[in-house]
Amino acid sequence: MSVKPARTRIAPSPTGHMHLGTARVALYDYLLAKKTGGQFILRIEDTDLKRTVPGAEQEIMDGLRWLGLQYDEGPDIGGPHGPYRQTERREIYQAHAKVLVDKGHAYPCFCTPDHLDKVRQEQMKRKENPHYDGTCRVLAPDEAAKRIANGEAYTIRFKMPQDGVTVAHDHLRGDITTDNKQLNDQVILKTDGLPTYHLAAIVDDHEMQITHVMRGSEWLGTFPLHVNIVRAFGWDEPTWVHLSVFLKPSGKGKMSKREAAQAMKDGYSIFIKDMQELGFTPEGVLNWSALMGWGVAEDDVMTVNQMLDRFTIDSLTPSPAAINFQKLDHFNATHIRLLTTEDLATRLKPYFTREGLAVQDDVLLKIIPLIRERLTTLDDCISFGAFFFKDEVTPLPEELIAKGLDAKQSAEIARRAYQILAAQPDISHERCEPPLRAYVEESGLNANQVFGILRVATTGQKVSPPLFESMEIIGRDVCLRRIQNAIDILEKM
Ligand code: GLU
């Protein structure tokens, strides 16, 4: 059976940092478009000028590219249905608002904010849900035209049906029936001539030939309005997919600003840029977010290519998903293990550089097999590998003292180890381990005591990748210098 190519879009408002919710919708959009041989589009919904944040649009484009979700059409790359920034499309919305007015589906409204506020207060006093009272709905068209000609400020409101019901069909949730009495005449064009989301998104989805609208379930409330607008124009509806919401890690309630701040304290974030800085990989983030709302097994490890094999919109689920950062760790660590050595090296380098370390590429390639299994996030490479790129390490004196021994005894062990290593022509693992183990045997010490001192002396830390392999990479001269430094420290104690 041949499938019709889908045209999908991610339509974020540039009002803050790009977050997980946007990434997840973009992923599903991307998968559906690629799977069906269609296109994935980025549209910037920037008509709420008061909320637009400088730099937010760039952050969205950078975020999508970092995730590997390259769009086929968008504000910076153009495309056949542009412009892709809503503030550059205002005439299109104005023309469409006029069509609705002419067809009797919308009307100009001259109510001032003060008047609307008063009406709202009174409704609340009467314990009614605040709604537009319909003052201008009944204005005669020539009266409205006169007031417009007089220069009065006005909005355009959509005229909602007042009788019967609206049945809106969501692909995951089925038919959603709303009594039209509960619906409200919403503003679709503001006094500044810019549209609200309700008009702009509907017009653009039609003009851009979007076949599937995937979006957050926060839009379910105005879903009946949106289908009424589409029908008023006489257009075909796209397939509507309202995705699940994210819950707090506790599973109780929606993810809030407070929860997001707490996550940051714990070394996590729901913002894409932060995730990148915290050392999460696009593969880990995508795998993790894919499964929050997609009914495949919760621990399925998948790259985007593997997701493409399995993705269908029918397998998405509307049930809310609690954010579980431990799972993010799990997926991230798993994907780090799946990267090639060269790829991982390229990704780790900026984290070392960020710490002011001069990275030698050949050394970096050598340490990857030693540290890879220990990394949960990419920036863990600092705790496990910074000492490879430092001129000197600064061990804590007390950590140089082996368990059960004192400083003097520990210094003696360090001196013996120094002699053994200095006697070797090179410091390869094969050459160093046997004589050091022989020394452990004959001295009656235990291996942890001897190797513990050597570890702290050569790496500057108690926990490190395997000792002999690490010493081999550090090199003979540097190792000996570091051990000598440890002897000096111990002798002074
Ligand atoms: N601009 C809307 C938002 O950022 C987009 C919703 C949609 O995808 O239609 O929430």
Side-chain angles (χ1 to χ4, degrees):
M1 199 178 74
S2 74
V3 201
K4 204 170 150 257
R7 281 180 59 83
T8 59
R9 91 297 193 274
I10 182 79
S13 299
T15 53
H17 293 298
M18 177 180 174
H19 57 78
L20 188 61
T22 307
R24 185 186 58 161
V25 181
L27 172 64
Y28 295 158
D29 281 329
Y30 178 89
L31 292 173
L32 182 63
K34 296 297 137 184
K35 180 135 192 169
T36 56
Q39 293 85 34
F40 164 52
I41 290 133
L42 169 64
R43 181 172 76 224
I44 297 291
E45 301 205 327
D46 57 350
T47 60
D48 192 346
L49 301 179
K50 286 196 291 296
R51 294 185 62 223
T52 296
V53 171
E57 177 183 311
Q58 191 58 47
E59 191 177 313
I60 292 162
M61 299 193 291
D62 292 345
L64 290 171
R65 291 206 172 93
W66 177 72
L67 288 167
L69 304 177
Q70 181 56 52
Y71 38 92
D72 302 299
E73 298 167 28
D76 55 338
I77 55 171
H81 302 275
Y84 294 90
R85 208 177 271 119
Q86 288 185 329
T87 46
E88 293 167 20
R89 300 170 64 79
R90 64 174 80 204
E91 290 78 20
I92 300 176
Y93 309 121
Q94 287 166 358
H96 280 86
K98 186 169 180 315
V99 170
L100 290 179
V101 174
D102 291 348
K103 284 176 135 194
H105 286 299
Y107 57 90
C109 170
F110 303 92
C111 294
T112 60
D114 276 353
H115 170 78
L116 294 172
D117 202 44
K118 217 179 285 154
V119 170
R120 198 174 315 125
Q121 303 285 350
E122 281 160 15
Q123 288 169 339
M124 278 158 65
K125 244 188 254 157
R126 292 198 301 270
K127 305 228 172 329
E128 288 172 19
N129 282 335
H131 58 276
Y132 180 59
D133 65 354
T135 307
C136 296
R137 183 174 169 123
V138 291
L139 273 187
D142 52 346
E143 162 74 9
K146 228 188 274 160
R147 290 174 72 170
I148 293 175
N150 280 343
E152 235 180 283
Y154 66 99
T155 60
I156 303 275
R157 284 185 188 268
F158 185 72
K159 200 185 263 181
M160 285 294 257
Q162 286 180 322
D163 304 315
V165 293
T166 296
V167 181
H169 186 79
D170 174 89
H171 191 77
L172 306 180
R173 298 159 201 263
D175 283 348
I176 299 170
T177 304
T178 313
D179 187 338
N180 287 341
K181 290 214 171 41
Q182 292 172 8
L183 301 177
N184 206 344
D185 288 356
Q186 300 274 0
V187 172
I188 55 172
L189 200 74
K190 298 178 284 184
T191 44
D192 62 4
L194 278 168
T196 58
Y197 169 80
H198 313 305
L199 179 68
I202 297 305
V203 168
D204 286 347
D205 287 339
H206 173 75
E207 296 266 302
M208 295 177 182
Q209 297 172 15
I210 300 303
T211 58
H212 295 74
V213 170
M214 292 199 239
R215 59 183 186 177
S217 58
E218 67 270 24
W219 295 107
L220 279 170
T222 41
F223 185 27
L225 165 64
H226 302 149
V227 299
N228 273 299
I229 297 178
V230 177
R231 291 169 194 170
F233 279 116
W235 295 333
D236 286 340
E237 283 179 54
T239 299
W240 303 95
V241 186
H242 292 89
L243 297 164
S244 57
V245 288
F246 292 136
L247 302 179
K248 296 176 188 179
S250 64
K252 293 190 193 106
K254 281 215 285 187
M255 197 67 193
S256 64
K257 275 211 176 108
R258 217 172 92 217
E259 293 294 319
Q262 181 57 45
M264 203 62 199
K265 280 195 202 129
D266 299 338
Y268 298 105
S269 179
I270 53 162
F271 298 111
I272 300 305
K273 198 160 159 249
D274 291 343
M275 290 188 179
Q276 181 176 4
E277 276 161 25
L278 289 166
F280 291 100
T281 58
E283 291 85 348
V285 173
L286 288 177
N287 201 156
W288 178 58
S289 49
L291 302 188
M292 287 191 277
W294 179 3
V296 282
E298 278 207 349
D299 53 358
D300 274 356
V301 173
M302 291 182 283
T303 60
V304 169
N305 278 338
Q306 289 161 332
M307 290 180 204
L308 273 173
D309 284 340
R310 298 174 62 184
F311 184 79
T312 61
I313 50 168
D314 294 345
S315 54
L316 295 177
T317 122
S319 5
I323 295 209
N324 179 336
F325 289 114
Q326 283 67 43
K327 279 205 179 133
L328 172 60
D329 279 343
H330 162 74
F331 284 116
N332 204 59
T334 308
H335 280 284
I336 286 176
R337 281 155 192 65
L338 294 172
L339 300 175
T340 63
T341 300
E342 288 70 21
D343 188 356
L344 184 53
T346 312
R347 299 195 203 201
L348 293 183
K349 196 168 172 176
Y351 292 90
F352 286 118
T353 315
R354 189 169 83 176
E355 296 292 308
L357 296 164
V359 176
Q360 298 115 277
D361 292 334
D362 56 331
V363 175
L364 180 55
L365 287 172
K366 280 193 225 157
I367 71 171
I368 296 238
L370 304 190
I371 65 172
R372 182 201 293 272
E373 296 293 320
R374 293 160 197 257
L375 304 178
T376 299
T377 50
L378 295 173
D379 67 342
D380 286 342
C381 68
I382 301 304
S383 33
F384 293 114
F387 63 85
F388 287 108
F389 302 111
K390 288 185 177 163
D391 291 336
E392 299 302 339
V393 291
T394 40
L396 292 175
E398 59 275 20
E399 289 188 349
L400 282 166
I401 300 172
K403 206 165 166 216
L405 304 178
D406 61 18
K408 211 164 151 233
Q409 291 163 311
S410 302
E412 178 53 25
I413 295 172
R415 271 193 297 273
R416 275 297 291 143
Y418 184 99
Q419 285 161 6
I420 292 168
L421 293 172
Q424 309 302 322
D426 69 64
I427 202 168
S428 67
H429 178 183
E430 296 74 24
R431 239 183 231 287
C432 296
E433 190 170 354
L436 282 169
R437 287 212 180 267
Y439 165 57
V440 169
E441 287 290 309
E442 69 196 40
S443 64
L445 295 160
N446 72 43
N448 286 344
Q449 291 172 314
V450 175
F451 299 155
I453 294 172
L454 270 182
R455 183 186 306 279
V456 177
T458 54
T459 70
Q461 55 200 54
K462 282 180 92 161
V463 181
S464 80
L467 177 63
F468 293 108
E469 284 90 338
S470 299
M471 292 203 313
E472 180 173 335
I473 295 171
I474 296 168
R476 183 174 184 276
D477 293 350
V478 176
C479 273
L480 290 176
R481 201 170 69 221
R482 289 183 182 178
I483 297 168
Q484 184 56 55
N485 180 43
I487 296 169
D488 294 346
I489 295 171
L490 285 164
E491 283 177 346
K492 277 194 213 113
M493 287 178 83

